[in-house]
């Protein structure tokens, strides 16, 4: 009697070991387990479906290519390792992204919108209703508050970095971030 392995019940380290030995189903289970968190992490930073999809694919490609670089124990989840890869790839993309944007601008070109299948997949992963709620709540902020909140929360800028970028006193930036976050909490908390 042949015994089938329930890959979805295996710890991450076992999935990565099996994937390294050519077991495609093991890596598929690993991918499906962590896809939503990786895509959400990247989308919060890029706010761009193209970059989210590209970077998420690259994260898992690197994980697949170098499973031995996961240093966790037998029962440790690999999400921290994957998010470390995602962070590194995102920072590298940010550094090189300016070049890409300038080149597209000089050519008068734009990236095409993501395919319907890609957009649907990202919406399913990221929760379109959550995105719509957040988009609506952000729209209710003043432009100054919205800029400050997005830069502070999503772009991970410190108050000092944001103050320098905007040419404002740090105390002003702190007020904008604080008031914007308070207004978001109030707006989102009031929704059914």
């Amino acid at each position: 009697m042949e015994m089938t392995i329930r890959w979805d019940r295996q710890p991450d380290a076992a999935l990565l070991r099996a994937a390294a030995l050519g077991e495609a189903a093991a890596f598929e289970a690993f991918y499906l387990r962590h896809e939503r968190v990786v895509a959400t992490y990247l989308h919060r930073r890029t706010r761009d479906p193209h970059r989210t999809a590209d970077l998420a694919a690259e994260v898992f490609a690197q994980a697949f290519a170098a499973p031995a670089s996961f240093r966790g124990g037998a029962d440790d989840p690999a999400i921290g390792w994957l998010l470390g890869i995602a962070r590194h790839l995102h920072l590298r993309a940010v550094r090189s992204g300016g070049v890409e944007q300038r080149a597209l601008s000089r050519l008068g070109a734009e990236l095409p919108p993501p395919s319907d299948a890609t957009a649907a997949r990202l919406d399913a992963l990221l929760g379109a209703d959550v995105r719509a709620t957040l988009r609506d709540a952000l729209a209710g902020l003043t432009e100054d508050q919205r800029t400050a909140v997005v830069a502070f929360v999503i772009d991970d800028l410190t108050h000092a970095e944001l103050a320098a970028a905007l040419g404002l006193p740090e105390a002003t930036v702190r007020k904008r971030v604080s008031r914007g976050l308070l207004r978001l909490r109030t707006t989102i908390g009031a929704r059914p």
Side-chain angles (χ1 to χ4, degrees), residues 112-150:
S115 70
D116 290 343
T118 299
R121 180 83 174 130
L122 284 172
D123 280 345
L125 282 173
L126 303 174
D129 56 331
V130 172
R131 287 185 26 216
T133 298
L134 183 56
R135 184 181 54 244
D136 292 347
L138 282 169
L141 299 178
T142 67
E143 182 63 33
D144 291 341
Q145 288 172 342
R146 185 172 35 258
T147 298
V149 167
V150 168

Side-chain angles (χ1 to χ4, degrees), residues 42 48-58 118 122:
L42 290 166
D48 176 344
H50 283 287
R51 289 203 187 276
T52 297
D54 289 348
L55 289 170
E58 183 63 25
T118 299
L122 284 172

Side-chain angles (χ1 to χ4, degrees), residues 22 26 41 56 61 87-88 90 100 155 170 181 190:
Y41 174 88
R87 181 179 183 279
H88 173 76
H90 174 253
E100 178 183 332
D155 298 333
E170 190 172 335
L181 289 174

